[in-house]
Amino acid sequence: MQIHSREPDPAVQDRTGPAPEGTERPPRGDLPPSGPPAGPGSVTDEEPGLDAAGGPPPSEDAHTTAIRELEDRWRRALADLDNLRKRHARELERERTAERSRTAAAFLPVLDNLELALAHAGADSGAIVEGVRAVRDQAVNVLELLGYPRHAETGIAFDPARHEVVAVVEDPDAEPGTVVEVLRPGYGAGERQLRPAAVTVAKRE
């Protein structure tokens, strides 16, 4: 009877022990090859420390420098704004002082003429009255030049924006709702009105 020899099973040989000296162990098909994977797209192709944009991430010193620059700009802007406010306040006060000086200077001739009228108080009374009337007209002209014209008209329709009713009177010769008498003249008009005229108005029927 002839007996055929069988080759040993590699798996059985691995379980039974190491291969004899001088022989090579055949590779196993059920295990992946050892060693790192190669080829494009592998983990070894990526370099550590790169952000999504492909450049190095900004350092903490760069952020600190940028913040300090922004704070410095903010402080300079605040200082410029404060200087502008102070300069505007000085210019406004200077303009107010100049305007007061111009207004006071416009009334100096009126005061001079009043002084002359008082100096001649012992003279003819008619001349004194004419002198005082001339001074009054001069003062009215000064106010008109300053933008505040005088209005003391009678017989016109009552205007609540220009007139202040002191009394309502019955006057058969006057139209109802018209100004009969001006008790105190008004000066200016609209937004530049110093005061309204105090008047009496004809009664409406």
Side-chain angles (χ1 to χ4, degrees), residues 11 31 34 40 49 67 72 76 84 86 90 98 110 115 124 130 138 142 149 151 162 166 169 173 176-177 181 195 205:
L31 297 179
S34 61
I67 292 174
D72 185 61
R76 285 200 299 267
L84 180 61
K86 293 178 180 178
R90 289 193 299 267
V110 177
E115 294 287 349
D124 183 18
E130 290 298 327
Q138 187 178 18
V142 170
H151 54 91
R162 300 178 57 194
V166 177
V169 297
D173 298 330
E181 182 182 5
R195 71 179 186 188
E205 298 180 355

Side-chain angles (χ1 to χ4, degrees), residues 150-166:
R150 181 175 186 263
H151 54 91
E153 303 85 0
T154 59
I156 62 175
F158 169 74
D159 184 359
R162 300 178 57 194
H163 301 133
E164 179 183 352
V165 178
V166 177

Side-chain angles (χ1 to χ4, degrees), residues 17 19 31-32 38 50 60 62 65 67 75 78 101 112 114 121 125 141 143 151 181-182 199-200:
L31 297 179
L50 298 179
E60 184 176 356
T65 302
I67 292 174
R75 291 190 181 95
L78 287 181
S101 299
D112 293 338
L114 286 176
S125 59
N141 185 51
L143 286 174
H151 54 91
E181 182 182 5
V182 177
V199 299
T200 61

